Amino acid sequence: MIVSNNKNGKDIRDVREFLERLRDNEDIARKFFEIEVSILSISNFKDLFERLLTEIQEKFDIPYVWISLIDENEAFHLIRDLASSDILKQRLNIIKKSALLELIGDNTKPLIVNQDLGRFYRLFPQDEKYLIKSAALAPIGLKGEIIGSLNLGDPYINRYSSGMDTTLLERLTVKISTCLSNVAAHEKLKLAASRDHLTGLLNRRVLESALDREYKRALRYENPLSLVLIDLDDFKMVNDQHGHDVGDEVLRYVGKHFLELSRETDIVARFAGDEFVIILPNTKPGEARKKIERLRSFLRKKPLKLDKSTIPISFSFGVAAAHDDGVYNPSSLLKRADENLYEAKNLKKRKPRVIQLER
């Protein structure tokens, strides 16, 4: 009887433990499902990654949750806004494709590591890599190609250990890949609607909206605001002598360097044809002229080189400020810059040209 009672007691404990594990598994599955539902309707990369990382950390009480992304993938040029996120500044790790594949291979299943973590430090957050003693690294893909990983880390060595079930984490990464495809498609449409198809700069419609916003902000806070209208010199001659394909390359080349040599707060747009506009918040006219002169000097020293041809690039520009006399709205600010551009081009025409003969 005593043996029987002990056996019954053990059976009861086993049943209780089984029910507790079942409840725990149901709770984990429910949390994963809630995260999946939460991210499915998001239409931009910044919100997608922020929501994903925050909810995983809060629902599962995981100290370290971060994303690793390779810098050579289809969506990388669409995720520039990630840098503006305070959350992602700490939880986004950019890595080379070769380095990521060396660490996790081309397997789509999560990788569990809690031994010899040193070789994975390239994948870990810089400030926290020595604190992580175990991790789950789950590859995420876009259109069937691995573009990064969702990473979960813990200071406890057995939080993630070999043999643990990663089915739910793997299912989550499949949902993430679906979301990435949807967001990439949405971002491409948004980009097409807001960008000039040739240079990738903002188009005129978006420029006008941005100019209206910055003009009102400058007046409200009494901050300086300068606008520069730029026109390429002798662009028609480039098209006539080299063809429109080369002309397009010139526009792309100029737009690329205007963007690269501008501050994050500057707004660079293609206005029309070979004309560009740069809006410079918190910039006085004198500072704007110095900045544009540096751009002009850069392009003069670095002409566009195509095959055997070298295409020299120069431009004229006009600067106007929000607080100039006669400027009372965004349109008049743009008009004043156009007038100053016209005057600068006429001044160039009146200057005597010095022709140097080379042997």
Side-chain angles (χ1 to χ4, degrees):
M1 291 293 294
I2 294 174
V3 173
S4 178
N5 284 338
N6 286 340
K7 183 177 184 301
N8 289 340
K10 182 177 182 302
D11 290 343
I12 291 171
R13 284 195 301 273
D14 288 344
V15 170
R16 285 176 177 169
E17 289 176 0
F18 172 76
L19 292 175
E20 286 178 3
R21 285 198 304 271
L22 188 62
R23 280 193 293 269
D24 288 343
N25 289 339
E26 288 178 347
D27 186 51
I28 292 172
R30 176 182 57 80
K31 290 176 179 178
F32 269 109
F33 178 73
E34 288 173 352
I35 294 172
E36 291 170 8
V37 171
S38 177
I39 64 175
L40 280 173
S41 60
I42 297 177
S43 59
N44 67 81
F45 287 106
K46 177 172 170 289
D47 290 345
L48 172 63
F49 287 134
E50 282 187 349
R51 179 84 59 83
L52 178 67
L53 297 178
T54 301
E55 292 210 1
I56 289 176
Q57 186 169 47
E58 292 177 352
K59 288 183 182 294
F60 294 102
D61 192 26
I62 299 175
Y64 308 108
V65 185
W66 73 100
I67 293 280
S68 296
L69 285 179
I70 64 174
D71 59 0
E72 307 165 21
N73 70 77
E74 180 185 337
F76 192 73
H77 70 286
L78 299 171
I79 60 176
R80 294 170 183 161
D81 61 338
L82 298 188
S84 66
S85 166
D86 291 334
I87 293 175
L88 295 174
K89 282 178 183 176
Q90 306 297 325
R91 302 195 202 175
L92 180 64
N93 178 33
I94 305 300
I95 188 170
K96 292 289 183 183
K97 182 177 182 179
S98 57
L100 180 67
L101 294 181
E102 179 187 333
L103 293 172
I104 67 173
D106 55 2
N107 188 8
T108 58
K109 294 185 180 298
L111 177 66
I112 304 300
V113 293
N114 63 355
Q115 300 291 333
D116 301 322
L117 297 185
R119 68 190 187 95
F120 292 96
Y121 282 168
R122 285 176 292 173
L123 205 59
F124 286 13
Q126 271 308 110
D127 299 334
E128 299 163 346
K129 59 186 180 183
Y130 299 114
L131 303 175
I132 298 172
K133 303 302 180 184
S134 66
L137 314 173
I140 54 178
L142 179 64
K143 296 183 178 179
E145 181 182 353
I146 293 176
I147 66 164
S149 61
L150 168 66
N151 314 295
L152 317 177
D154 198 276
Y156 180 52
I157 194 170
N158 289 324
R159 176 72 183 266
Y160 302 104
S161 56
S162 60
M164 71 180 297
D165 186 5
T166 61
T167 303
L168 292 174
L169 180 58
E170 186 179 352
R171 192 179 76 178
L172 176 61
T173 58
V174 172
K175 290 291 192 299
I176 294 171
S177 296
T178 301
C179 291
L180 286 174
S181 295
N182 294 338
V183 171
H186 183 271
E187 292 287 344
K188 282 182 179 179
L189 288 175
K190 188 168 70 172
L191 194 65
S194 63
R195 301 277 173 174
D196 170 59
H197 73 283
L198 183 63
T199 63
L201 301 178
L202 296 177
N203 60 29
R204 183 165 179 169
R205 181 180 62 82
V206 178
L207 165 70
E208 290 172 350
S209 175
L211 178 57
D212 183 67
R213 181 186 68 242
E214 294 299 330
Y215 180 82
K216 290 176 179 176
R217 182 180 296 168
L219 294 188
R220 184 184 305 120
Y221 298 107
E222 298 183 354
N223 290 332
L225 172 70
S226 293
L227 180 144
V228 184
L229 182 58
I230 296 170
D231 183 79
L232 301 186
D233 296 331
D234 302 320
F235 184 68
K236 184 178 182 301
M237 189 183 300
V238 172
N239 280 329
D240 291 344
Q241 291 184 357
H242 301 279
H244 288 277
D245 288 343
V246 172
D248 289 347
E249 287 297 326
V250 168
L251 294 174
R252 277 191 283 264
Y253 184 77
V254 169
K256 173 177 178 287
H257 288 297
F258 281 173
L259 194 59
E260 288 180 351
L261 298 173
S262 295
R263 304 168 301 182
E264 285 189 7
T265 54
D266 297 340
I267 299 166
V268 185
R270 184 182 178 194
F271 188 62
D274 60 334
E275 291 183 328
F276 298 82
V277 167
I278 302 180
I279 301 173
L280 302 163
N282 295 306
T283 306
K284 296 178 180 179
E287 297 170 341
R289 290 187 187 92
K290 289 180 181 178
K291 175 182 176 62
I292 304 304
E293 286 291 358
R294 288 196 295 270
L295 286 176
R296 183 155 63 180
S297 176
F298 175 87
L299 289 173
R300 188 180 296 122
K301 293 174 182 176
K302 293 187 176 294
L304 173 63
K305 294 183 178 181
L306 294 173
D307 298 327
K308 297 179 180 179
S309 300
T310 298
I311 314 297
I313 297 173
S314 67
F315 61 79
S316 303
F317 67 91
V319 178
H323 300 289
D324 284 351
D325 292 337
V327 173
Y328 50 88
N329 60 23
S331 296
S332 59
L333 175 60
L334 189 57
K335 183 179 179 183
R336 176 59 58 85
D338 187 41
E339 292 169 350
N340 292 338
L341 168 63
Y342 181 77
E343 186 176 323
K345 290 185 80 71
N346 279 339
L347 185 60
K348 269 189 177 180
K349 290 177 182 178
R350 290 196 296 269
K351 281 184 177 180
R353 298 182 66 181
V354 177
I355 302 175
Q356 295 181 345
L357 299 179
E358 294 183 2
R359 179 177 298 177

